[in-house]
Amino acid sequence: MQLYASLFLLGLFNNVRGVTVTQAVPPGPTQHITLDIVNGPVSPDGFTRIGVLANGTFPGPPLVATKGQTLVVQVNNKLTNDTMRLSTSIDFDGVFQTSDNIFNEGSPFVTQCPFGPGESYTYTIPLDPAQAGSFWYHSQLSVQYADGLRGTLIIYDPDDPLQDLYDVDDASTVLTVADWWHNTSTSGLASYLQTQIIPVADDGLFNARGRYNGGPEVEYAAVPVTSGKRYRFRLINISARSDFVVSIDNHTMTVIEADGVEVHPHTVNVLDIFAGQRYSFIVHANQPVANYWINAQINGGNPAHNLNLNVRPRINRAPRAEPTTPMTEGPTGADALPLNEWELVPIVPMPAPEPDFNLTFNTFMPVGITEWEINNISYISPSVPTLVRVLNGEIQPDDFNVTENTFLFPANKTVQVTIIDAANEGHPFHLHGMNFWVVKSNGSDIINTVNPIRRDVDVTGTGTNILRFRTDKPGPWFFHCHIFYHFAVGLGSVIGAGFDEVGKIVHPTEAWERLCPNYDALPASEQ
């Protein structure tokens, strides 16, 4: 299926260069945010269903901050619909975490217990003073965020070294692509466990709008721009499964950020963005004033499993003057200038340190069993979070069940992970709390240790990926596939960094310590 949205080049004003426009961020060192997690109706493509929503919207309210601020996010669980998960926990994807605050990291059964209906938890997150860029938040419990609990988080840098390259960077330039299901995530997961077939999304959404075959002609999202202006678009894939191939008719995209890492300007005309990934790119509205398609082609699964994805949406009427040009798949063949990850160069150079340890991940799905494995082990969450057990003194390899897939390393070392994806599934592997160096990208034979791209989501394929990261943040850190249906059936692991140091550094709050007893006391129907 191809999903398309409209990019309007309005040409309403003269071509005047001005001060960079950025989203207004509340002043002060601390931002207080309240997220009420509720069940409510949602219909981004005209099909109404009940979702799991932050403050009643999909996506959830956009969060904005300035680097170095502290986010205090109070999450109130007001869920009532027992056809979906009633407990929850929130992860702030890509945001650097420190060891002393790892208990606010948000990973169920790794760094915390979830919390049930009627309960609240407040995440206090001091933002790294050196980190800015495009991020997002979502439920980390099972596949709950497929029901709608996901939203954007932008950390602005008042001293952005690349700000002279663009004129506008505000709420209107934050773009999302997302897959969407008309059924609940719990029913989808049950179907997956029974059939080994991941539920195919009923629709793909661009800025929370889309159409599905046989459905109403929902108005596509439009992105107004002014002729002559240069726009920093922040594209975030908030999907639970799918990747999107994105292009803009008659325009190029100059990539300047990948997963919060600023890179030297790199111009392409088509890019593939996978679940959990983020890119900033500059678009110059320098073409004749007209309406142009943004092409966002959704990939993920066999369309034969769902006829809604087997037919390209038809356009009849144009309530907002949709482009009269035909929809396409964007540049192909010799006309395509694709984004190749290994060509991205961080503007702040950081060589990849030599590894002290080498680890190989072989990903595999056994025939006839709905589970994914890393090195013949399918990850199963423990009943007691890893962090709780480490604080209780369980720090030896024999203390962890083999199904926890926990790898222990000393503090302040470098680990190299080689990922082999023999099935060519395209797993977007995500590391919590920190970035890794991508020494070798899938699709390239180049080994780059001088200044490789650093990011927190990297995609596998027919070749190998080589990643390196430091264990200078003691604690348990989730490392898993961001296709959450894969993650839910085992494609995950825990990196144990310097466990013998954790007790000296981590001092959780009483509120955190109450999470597990409260969760354990819940009936199974509310967990």
Side-chain angles (χ1 to χ4, degrees):
M1 185 196 84
Q2 284 76 40
L3 164 74
Y4 299 87
S6 301
L7 173 66
F8 289 93
L9 297 188
L10 299 178
L12 298 179
F13 306 98
N14 293 328
N15 181 7
V16 179
R17 296 278 180 247
V19 178
T20 300
V21 179
T22 57
Q23 172 72 18
V25 178
T30 303
Q31 276 203 60
H32 294 270
I33 300 157
T34 299
L35 297 179
D36 291 330
I37 311 305
V38 301
N39 294 118
V42 59
S43 53
D45 59 2
F47 179 93
T48 301
R49 58 157 293 187
I50 300 299
V52 177
L53 310 173
N55 292 3
T57 67
F58 172 78
L63 307 184
V64 295
T66 298
K67 68 178 186 178
Q69 287 185 318
T70 294
L71 297 181
V72 179
V73 185
Q74 179 176 319
V75 182
N76 303 315
N77 185 342
K78 299 183 177 183
L79 297 173
T80 58
N81 191 310
D82 62 5
T83 67
M84 292 170 281
R85 293 296 291 261
L86 290 176
S87 291
T88 196
S89 75
I90 305 297
D91 174 51
F92 299 85
D93 238 36
V95 175
F96 291 164
Q97 299 282 356
T98 56
S99 293
D100 60 350
N101 197 50
I102 192 172
F103 57 92
N104 278 317
E105 193 273 327
S107 297
F109 309 109
V110 177
T111 60
Q112 72 164 91
C113 280
F115 50 102
E119 298 187 11
S120 301
Y121 184 75
T122 298
Y123 294 91
T124 300
I125 304 174
L127 299 176
D128 190 303
Q131 187 182 38
S134 308
F135 307 92
W136 63 302
Y137 64 93
H138 61 81
S139 167
Q140 185 73 31
L141 182 62
S142 185
V143 289
Q144 186 183 55
Y145 87 75
D147 292 313
L149 183 42
R150 27 185 165 159
T152 60
L153 166 60
I154 307 301
I155 304 173
Y156 289 99
D157 181 0
D159 302 313
D160 179 8
L162 298 175
Q163 63 185 347
D164 288 342
L165 299 179
Y166 55 87
D167 305 303
V168 182
D169 176 26
D170 60 18
S172 72
T173 63
V174 179
L175 311 178
T176 60
V177 288
D179 43 23
W180 187 250
W181 284 266
H182 293 166
N183 295 319
T184 65
S185 64
T186 47
S187 62
L189 183 56
S191 172
Y192 183 32
L193 291 171
Q194 185 176 27
T195 65
Q196 281 199 301
I197 300 173
I198 296 182
V200 177
D202 292 286
D203 204 356
L205 308 177
F206 180 91
N207 276 6
R209 306 299 294 273
R211 298 179 187 176
Y212 64 97
N213 185 41
E217 287 193 353
V218 171
E219 183 179 356
Y220 284 130
V223 183
V225 299
T226 299
S227 183
K229 291 286 186 179
R230 302 166 301 171
Y231 291 79
R232 176 179 181 162
F233 289 113
R234 298 172 180 268
L235 180 64
I236 303 173
N237 188 340
I238 61 174
S239 293
R241 180 193 183 190
S242 307
D243 66 291
F244 287 77
V245 181
V246 177
S247 62
I248 305 174
D249 284 358
N250 290 32
H251 292 76
T252 58
M253 301 173 288
T254 300
V255 177
I256 61 170
E257 177 216 347
D259 294 0
V261 175
E262 292 173 318
V263 299
H264 289 282
H266 182 69
T267 299
V268 301
N269 62 12
V270 59
L271 63 84
D272 200 351
I273 184 168
F274 288 77
Q277 291 188 323
R278 298 90 62 199
Y279 289 108
S280 283
F281 54 80
I282 297 167
V283 174
H284 191 186
N286 59 0
Q287 295 300 301
V289 175
N291 299 326
Y292 296 89
W293 290 113
I294 297 176
N295 313 298
Q297 180 180 354
I298 185 172
N299 291 324
N302 183 354
H305 294 155
N306 190 315
L307 294 180
N308 288 345
L309 293 183
N310 213 23
V311 180
R312 179 184 300 174
R314 291 173 54 238
I315 292 183
N316 295 325
R317 293 175 296 138
R320 291 194 62 178
E322 291 171 0
T324 57
T325 54
M327 292 185 290
T328 71
E329 296 183 1
T332 59
D335 295 327
L337 296 172
L339 173 62
N340 295 316
E341 178 185 69
W342 58 90
E343 295 176 345
L344 297 176
V345 180
I347 63 171
V348 177
M350 190 179 297
E354 287 300 306
D356 300 295
F357 297 93
N358 288 279
L359 184 63
T360 299
F361 278 5
N362 282 283
T363 66
F364 181 69
M365 186 176 192
V367 175
I369 303 174
T370 308
E371 65 179 35
W372 272 97
E373 299 176 346
I374 294 174
N375 299 347
N376 299 315
I377 297 172
S378 182
Y379 175 81
I380 299 175
S381 297
S383 58
V384 178
T386 310
L387 181 59
V388 172
R389 297 169 62 193
V390 174
L391 290 173
N392 288 339
E394 299 179 36
I395 60 175
Q396 301 303 319
D398 291 342
D399 294 326
F400 300 93
N401 192 299
V402 65
T403 56
E404 294 178 59
N405 222 8
T406 298
F407 300 89
L408 303 186
F409 300 100
N412 301 311
K413 301 297 182 180
T414 300
V415 179
Q416 176 168 295
V417 182
T418 300
I419 305 178
I420 301 172
D421 177 9
N424 189 23
E425 284 284 333
H427 301 294
F429 268 93
H430 170 53
L431 178 62
H432 284 222
M434 68 195 82
N435 284 339
F436 41 64
W437 289 267
V438 184
V439 172
K440 179 185 177 299
S441 299
N442 177 61
S444 171
D445 292 327
I446 297 172
I447 302 294
N448 179 3
T449 61
V450 176
N451 187 22
I453 185 63
R454 306 182 300 275
R455 63 187 316 168
D456 59 81
V457 183
D458 198 51
V459 181
T460 67
T462 53
T464 59
N465 299 56
I466 301 177
L467 315 175
R468 292 181 189 174
F469 57 86
R470 294 283 294 166
T471 62
D472 51 6
K473 295 182 178 182
W477 303 100
F478 237 163
F479 191 20
H480 62 83
C481 177
H482 222 301
I483 296 174
F484 259 47
Y485 281 98
H486 289 174
F487 162 62
V489 296
L491 198 51
S493 64
V494 174
I495 300 299
F499 275 1
D500 55 342
E501 300 290 323
V502 172
K504 306 172 189 176
I505 299 171
V506 182
H507 305 287
T509 62
E510 291 183 4
W512 179 86
E513 291 178 341
R514 289 194 298 268
L515 287 175
C516 286
N518 290 348
Y519 181 79
D520 292 341
L522 290 173
S525 60
E526 294 186 10
Q527 290 185 342

